Amino acid sequence: MTDQPDLPRGETRSERQQTSNVVVHLQDYRSSNGNQEQLPVTFHRRELDLILRVYGRMVGEGEWRDYAMDHLREKAVFSVFKRSGEMPLFRIEKNPKLAAKQGAYSVINTNGMILKRGHELQQVLKVFDKMLKVIET
């Protein structure tokens, strides 16, 4: 058993295809290929760790119950829900195009209002530390 593809009987690898000694890095290949679509923006492992810590705390308090992640071309979105069939309570967004301006990270509520925006995710997520609750008397 070999890792070579099956060749018709009597044909050798050298007759089929010449090997190349040129190594092309995947990043260089992708940047030179203009027809290929842009890769989506994603959350890195450390970013997800910070977000999921806040999510776990809020689930423990009974505030949140479900989440969804979207990785789009221009931004990555982590949405949190009270019930899965409703609009998201909050959206945590990462938009790299805004990194040099207002900051890549933002927290947006159901109405589309930006609650906090910044360059560091940990600072932006502090908006959930002091969430005010409506108390009916």
Side-chain angles (χ1 to χ4, degrees):
M1 176 178 270
T2 66
D3 60 349
Q4 301 297 322
D6 294 334
L7 298 172
R9 289 188 173 244
E11 189 174 350
T12 63
R13 179 175 168 78
S14 60
E15 293 171 355
R16 171 62 82 114
Q17 168 185 345
Q18 295 294 325
T19 59
S20 174
N21 294 333
V22 178
V23 175
V24 178
H25 294 283
L26 183 59
Q27 182 177 5
D28 296 337
Y29 173 76
R30 285 183 177 158
S31 65
S32 68
N33 189 358
N35 296 335
Q36 188 173 4
E37 292 185 26
Q38 183 182 12
L39 295 174
V41 176
T42 59
F43 289 108
H44 297 290
R45 184 179 180 104
R46 290 186 178 126
E47 295 167 337
L48 274 177
D49 183 46
L50 291 171
I51 293 170
L52 290 173
R53 283 183 189 190
V54 172
Y55 176 78
R57 189 183 78 233
M58 297 301 272
V59 167
E61 293 175 7
E63 297 293 323
W64 298 348
R65 294 183 187 259
D66 201 5
Y67 72 91
M69 283 193 294
D70 296 308
H71 297 118
L72 309 172
R73 286 185 194 153
E74 61 277 351
K75 62 184 173 181
V77 182
F78 187 95
S79 305
V80 293
F81 300 87
K82 179 72 171 179
R83 293 180 192 85
S84 59
E86 297 178 349
M87 294 285 292
L89 293 174
F90 299 99
R91 293 187 330 257
I92 301 165
E93 295 186 357
K94 174 185 176 182
N95 189 340
K97 289 182 181 178
L98 298 176
K101 299 176 185 175
Q102 302 120 344
Y105 304 102
S106 59
V107 174
I108 303 169
N109 70 4
T110 304
N111 300 327
M113 189 168 81
I114 297 173
L115 302 177
K116 192 159 187 176
R117 175 180 280 159
H119 296 281
E120 294 182 23
L121 181 60
Q122 190 170 9
Q123 294 297 322
V124 172
L125 292 176
K126 286 186 178 182
V127 73
F128 296 116
D129 290 347
K130 301 174 186 174
M131 289 299 285
L132 300 176
K133 297 180 184 179
V134 176
I135 300 173
E136 294 181 20
T137 56

